[in-house]
Amino acid sequence: MAVTIKDVARAAGVSAATVTRALSKPEVVRPATRDRVKEIAASLGYHPNRAARGLITGRTGNLGLLVPDLGNPFFPSIVKGVQARAHEADHAVFLADTDEDPAAEAGLVRKLAKQVDGVLLCSPRMAEAEIRALATEVPTVLLYRRVPGVASVTAEFLDGMRQAVSHLVALGHRRIAYVAGPRTSWANRERVRSLRAVTRTRVELVETGNVVPQFEGGVSVADQVLAAEVTAVIAYNDLVALGLLHRFAARGVAVPHDISVLGFDDIPLAAMVHPALTTVALPKDQAGQAGVDLLLRERHRERRELPTQLMVRGSTGPAR
Amino acid sequence: MAVTIKDVARAAGVSAATVTRALSKPEVVRPATRDRVKEIAASLGYHPNRAARGLITGRTGNLGLLVPDLGNPFFPSIVKGVQARAHEADHAVFLADTDEDPAAEAGLVRKLAKQVDGVLLCSPRMAEAEIRALATEVPTVLLYRRVPGVASVTAEFLDGMRQAVSHLVALGHRRIAYVAGPRTSWANRERVRSLRAVTRTRVELVETGNVVPQFEGGVSVADQVLAAEVTAVIAYNDLVALGLLHRFAARGVAVPHDISVLGFDDIPLAAMVHPALTTVALPKDQAGQAGVDLLLRERHRERRELPTQLMVRGSTGPAR
DNA sequence: TTGAAAGCGTTACCAG
DNA sequence: CTGGTAACGCTTTCAA
């Protein structure tokens, strides 16, 4: 049997009320009593039952975090940021990986809702209406997505895209392919929008069909990219870019000599491969941390937009 | 305000007791009442507060999962397995990333203990005594580690190592380096032990110093490996192997022509790089799932040992 | 088959 | 400064 507040109270010869005060409002209890209670609590190994506490205070000390696919290294990075900040604030984190299944997500959140003080939603595909509904049921912060009226943390995609295109233009590229991610993904729509805005005059843009946001997506579309006779390609994300790299290598296409490849996200992997991947770094730890801050400070309307940074590495070079 | 059982009871014109019965023991309540209650509950969007339920039943419907570093793609794979199985069993998962900080782990677990039905511990470095203590406080299953008296899911490391060494021997390798992981890591000790057992007669083994179990660890030790004049190297894990690959490439050492490289884990990344990494695949999803099964079926003593599988890819070849 | 009441562990409020 | 009591939302006796 776990040790409860009553055990401590009995052992210390005080009431439960005094125990709880000694522990959570030390200043209102006489020092001698306080110290004795604290000592006994420690020696008994007492930890308040957070569920019981939550029942009465309305605050559970828990956070929910929803991500679409932990297999994409982008998301573990976010999770780490969330965890770090949450633990600092003495909160525990419920994690749910929805496996890219938008249908299941809302249900998952609702099951968690009562057990958490708020939810961080990293859910590029969930319907906007669903998100709005959820946000009325439980404090919600969106990660990497914007929905009117809901707090969110995003990145400066437009500026990131501008950095990417400027880099390629400076290298002499004038005809560039974009490998699109899932059609229904907010992030993809945002990237396409930014890309079009940024290339309007300077560059000819070739958009391929949509692929799954994974390594396999890149592999599958690589030959189309080659056939499009571009000198550079921007991928929806790093995983897709790595898929391109892989298939290019298999076909004997040299990167960056024959074609330049540029990714998005800056997953740790991007720096580990050969040639290393030039990519637009999105804030990950910081996004997670900022999300937790918004949630815990009850900034339920606020939007934060974090800077992005082009990481120039080996996979981009002069247009041939 | 969230909708509670009382709201449903009032709306349905029954008592709270009947509502809870209609929902959790449908057979003991009159069909007409049951259906009406269910309908109203659904229309009101009622979900039982699991924390309150846990208070009385002693079962929370939550699981805790501790991993040392989500940045290592091995662990997200495990998390996915755990999640999948936990959700099937209608359980939610608390995730804690300890950031390779064994000191913090025990405290984290204890904070969670009251809120979960059990804990999955993936904690290669925590002291054995600490683990034993924890296991008496909360149902515990160890992942990838064995401690007497505590339930665990591990892999057949010895057999995996045998497969790896046989493969290298068949390719003509007679002098092999092993890049060791953290000295205090159970997995590393196990690998060293297996490796020694398996190489006793056939192969000359050169063990390098211990490195951090990350990409950087491999990079940092690569030159030592080269100086050791071996024809093949087995790394503590895939991340370390990728670090070796990276530094070898930078030094103009061709893999597998000049040296063969073999990893451990089979993280997704291993198949994506060039040359693809030969590695011993450890069960990941299955380990997570098996762990959840042990926990939920209250097999608090059982040990399961899952098979491993050598994945032969481009990074190993004939000894030169 | 249903309802009333007790109680899970905690904290908030009100007396003293 | 401290203790008693009520209440959080739920499930489980025990009676009816």
Side-chain angles (χ1 to χ4, degrees):
Chain A
M1 249 316 154
V3 26
T4 76
I5 200 169
K6 285 186 183 172
D7 301 321
V8 179
R10 201 175 313 122
V14 298
S15 71
T18 299
V19 175
T20 193
R21 275 189 295 250
L23 265 23
S24 53
K25 297 184 199 146
E27 67 280 5
V28 305
V29 46
R30 188 157 53 92
T33 320
R34 185 212 321 134
D35 295 343
R36 187 160 42 89
V37 169
K38 279 190 168 177
E39 205 173 314
I40 290 177
S43 76
L44 257 41
Y46 169 71
H47 292 264
N49 181 324
R50 300 172 77 129
R53 169 189 289 171
L55 216 46
I56 174 143
T57 61
R59 321 202 79 247
T60 61
N62 297 329
L63 255 42
L65 172 57
L66 216 74
V67 297
D69 177 23
L70 276 179
N72 181 342
F74 181 69
F75 296 108
S77 295
I78 289 181
V79 176
K80 289 200 85 150
V82 169
Q83 294 260 355
R85 199 73 193 75
H87 287 157
E88 280 177 30
D90 200 34
H91 278 238
V93 176
F94 274 113
L95 180 72
D97 178 322
T98 61
D99 239 329
E100 302 272 0
D101 174 11
E105 297 183 350
L108 268 172
V109 176
R110 291 204 168 85
K111 268 209 299 221
L112 285 184
K114 298 282 210 330
Q115 288 191 86
V116 300
D117 295 336
V119 171
L120 292 161
L121 230 54
C122 210
S123 185
R125 326 259 267 277
M126 194 188 288
E128 217 178 283
E130 190 78 81
I131 290 179
R132 277 221 200 73
L134 240 31
T136 66
E137 299 173 31
V138 53
T140 301
V141 171
L142 253 29
L143 259 27
Y144 287 102
R145 175 162 183 178
R146 263 190 314 257
V147 165
V150 183
S152 62
V153 179
T154 54
E156 294 169 349
F157 292 117
L158 181 63
D159 183 64
M161 206 49 105
R162 194 193 321 274
Q163 294 180 55
V165 171
S166 298
H167 169 62
L168 292 177
V169 166
L171 287 168
H173 297 276
R174 293 296 177 269
R175 188 174 153 83
I176 298 176
Y178 174 68
V179 174
R183 197 177 309 108
T184 53
S185 151
W186 186 86
N188 182 61
R189 292 198 306 268
E190 199 67 5
R191 279 167 213 192
V192 171
R193 210 164 55 81
S194 304
L195 191 51
R196 286 185 190 151
V198 157
T199 52
R200 203 177 325 242
T201 58
R202 302 184 284 178
V203 165
E204 196 178 347
L205 186 62
V206 182
E207 298 181 30
T208 74
N210 304 80
V211 301
V212 293
Q214 289 151 25
F215 183 76
E216 291 72 23
V219 173
S220 71
V221 81
D223 297 302
Q224 284 178 52
V225 170
L226 255 21
E229 309 221 310
V230 297
T231 59
V233 52
I234 299 179
Y236 168 68
N237 69 11
D238 286 350
L239 240 30
V240 170
L242 291 173
L244 292 173
L245 248 25
H246 186 88
R247 177 68 185 163
F248 289 166
R251 291 226 9 217
V253 175
V255 173
H257 181 267
D258 299 327
I259 189 169
S260 287
V261 177
L262 204 147
F264 234 93
D265 286 354
D266 192 28
I267 60 179
L269 206 48
M272 301 184 188
V273 295
H274 254 293
L277 186 63
T278 295
T279 186
V280 176
L282 301 187
K284 291 171 282 287
D285 286 35
Q286 306 97 294
Q289 296 181 17
V292 174
D293 285 347
L294 252 43
L295 220 43
L296 298 186
R297 295 201 191 135
E298 313 201 13
R299 299 261 187 285
H300 297 332
R301 286 271 123 113
E302 204 164 311
R303 292 178 176 189
R304 296 201 44 192
E305 199 171 4
L306 274 18
T308 57
Q309 174 61 54
L310 178 72
M311 312 296 286
V312 175
R313 298 200 267 245
S315 71
T316 47
R320 71 161 170 341
Chain B
M1 250 313 157
V3 25
T4 77
I5 200 170
K6 284 186 184 171
D7 301 321
V8 180
R10 201 175 314 122
V14 299
S15 72
T18 299
V19 174
T20 192
R21 278 189 291 248
L23 264 24
S24 52
K25 297 184 197 146
E27 66 281 4
V28 306
V29 45
R30 188 157 52 93
T33 319
R34 185 209 323 131
D35 295 344
R36 187 160 41 89
V37 169
K38 280 191 168 178
E39 205 173 314
I40 289 177
S43 77
L44 256 42
Y46 170 70
H47 293 264
N49 180 325
R50 300 172 78 129
R53 168 189 291 171
L55 216 46
I56 174 150
T57 61
R59 320 201 80 248
T60 60
N62 297 329
L63 255 42
L65 172 57
L66 215 73
V67 297
D69 178 22
L70 276 179
N72 180 344
F74 180 68
F75 296 108
S77 296
I78 288 183
V79 176
K80 290 200 87 152
V82 170
Q83 294 260 354
R85 197 76 194 76
H87 287 157
E88 279 177 32
D90 200 33
H91 278 238
V93 177
F94 274 114
L95 179 73
D97 178 322
T98 61
D99 240 328
E100 301 272 0
D101 173 11
E105 298 183 351
L108 268 173
V109 175
R110 291 204 169 83
K111 268 208 298 221
L112 286 184
K114 297 280 210 332
Q115 287 190 87
V116 300
D117 295 336
V119 170
L120 292 160
L121 229 55
C122 209
S123 185
R125 325 259 268 277
M126 194 189 289
E128 218 177 282
E130 190 77 81
I131 291 180
R132 277 220 200 73
L134 239 33
T136 66
E137 298 172 32
V138 53
T140 301
V141 171
L142 252 30
L143 259 27
Y144 287 102
R145 175 162 184 178
R146 264 191 313 258
V147 165
V150 183
S152 63
V153 178
T154 54
E156 294 168 348
F157 291 118
L158 181 63
D159 183 63
M161 208 48 107
R162 195 192 322 274
Q163 294 180 56
V165 171
S166 298
H167 169 64
L168 291 177
V169 168
L171 287 169
H173 298 277
R174 293 296 176 269
R175 188 174 154 82
I176 298 177
Y178 174 68
V179 174
R183 198 178 308 107
T184 53
S185 151
W186 186 86
N188 182 61
R189 292 198 305 268
E190 199 67 5
R191 279 167 213 191
V192 171
R193 211 164 56 80
S194 305
L195 191 51
R196 287 185 189 152
V198 157
T199 51
R200 202 175 327 243
T201 59
R202 301 185 284 177
V203 164
E204 197 178 346
L205 185 62
V206 182
E207 299 181 29
T208 74
N210 304 79
V211 302
V212 292
Q214 288 151 25
F215 182 78
E216 291 72 23
V219 173
S220 70
V221 82
D223 297 303
Q224 283 180 53
V225 170
L226 256 20
E229 307 222 311
V230 295
T231 60
V233 52
I234 299 180
Y236 168 69
N237 70 10
D238 286 350
L239 240 28
V240 170
L242 292 174
L244 292 173
L245 249 25
H246 186 88
R247 178 67 184 162
F248 289 166
R251 292 227 8 218
V253 175
V255 173
H257 181 267
D258 299 328
I259 189 169
S260 285
V261 177
L262 204 147
F264 233 91
D265 286 355
D266 192 27
I267 60 178
L269 208 47
M272 300 183 189
V273 294
H274 254 293
L277 186 63
T278 294
T279 187
V280 176
L282 302 187
K284 292 171 281 290
D285 286 36
Q286 306 98 294
Q289 297 181 15
V292 174
D293 284 347
L294 252 43
L295 219 46
L296 298 187
R297 296 199 190 137
E298 312 203 13
R299 298 260 188 283
H300 296 332
R301 284 272 123 114
E302 204 164 311
R303 292 177 176 189
R304 294 202 45 192
E305 198 170 4
L306 272 18
T308 57
Q309 174 61 53
L310 178 72
M311 312 297 287
V312 175
R313 296 200 268 246
S315 70
T316 49
R320 69 156 173 344

